Amino acid sequence: MTTPRIALATCTALPDLDADDAPLIGALAARGVEAVPVIWNAPGTDWTAFDLVVIRSTWDYTEHPGDFVAWVRSLPQLLNPAEVIAWNVDKRYQRDLDEAGVPTVPTIWLDPERNFDSRAIHTRFPAFGDFVIKPTISAGSRDTGRYQADVTPSRSLAITHAKNILQSGRHVMIQRYLTQVDTVGETGMVYIDGEFSHAVRKAPLLEGPYRANEDLYRVETMSSREASPAEREAADRAIAALPGLFPGVDGPLLYARVDLLPDDAGNPVVLELELTEPSMFLALAPGALDRFADAIARRVGA
């Protein structure tokens, strides 16, 4: 019997995978599956040599999203499916979630083709409180900044930040900063093979304006957390909406992470739905590594 062989796709900065994903290699070997870390855009890679490609730490894709989407569409066997990945790399997917009735963080969208001047951008900002600016294609809070609506210098920095994103041809998201995140934090709800696996808490990351020359991703302070019934309901609604968005995709997705924030009333809303290359934080939940390895092994018939 031939040993199934899979590629765990990563990036140049993490050729041996992120530390959280590295134990997958041994866990899959114990299940009769050979897993190999492979840099997604390494020249000359023969992807047909693998029975399956599983996207993991491809965290530099935001620097060349067009190449990344072309790559996922070229692969014969990919998880999550290419159709899902192509939709999920641009956060404008949140509009589809809104239409499906999933509670999301209210967002104002700026299109680079509209040629917004400074005044037009200024009028899109909230009149009070803090707000966040980020491009629709980003990961790990890169190119993201937090600003104060009633402080003129901060508002001026926000205009510059938005203009720079628009001038690079990218769409801009403007979201009011939900202050309860400072005390409650952000909740990541991890799903494996369509089933809820575990929840994690992410401490607040955004402390001020965007700063250039940031690292590949911002270091996150993570801990295990018990999900509330309201968080389970909100995350389950996001997962349940997916079959309607991808009618050609059969069965549950291999992995998903639903990131939630509490709104002003304390109700959880979806900040992001991570289906491309989310950290799973497997080490923070007993049994999570085995659940993920089992799910991958089932996909290759091991």
Side-chain angles (χ1 to χ4, degrees), residues 103-120:
T104 62
V105 176
T107 303
I108 295 170
W109 310 88
L110 302 184
D111 186 333
E113 294 184 0
R114 294 281 303 276
N115 295 317
F116 287 98
D117 59 20
S118 296
R119 179 172 178 77

Side-chain angles (χ1 to χ4, degrees), residues 184 186-191 196-201 223-236 258-260 268 284-285:
V184 178
E186 181 181 323
T187 301
M189 307 283 284
V190 178
Y191 289 73
F196 176 70
S197 171
H198 58 281
V200 295
R201 179 188 187 275
S223 59
S224 180
R225 125 175 285 168
E226 188 73 25
S228 70
E231 288 172 330
R232 276 297 307 272
E233 180 182 1
D236 285 349
V258 186
D259 293 340
L260 303 172
L284 293 179

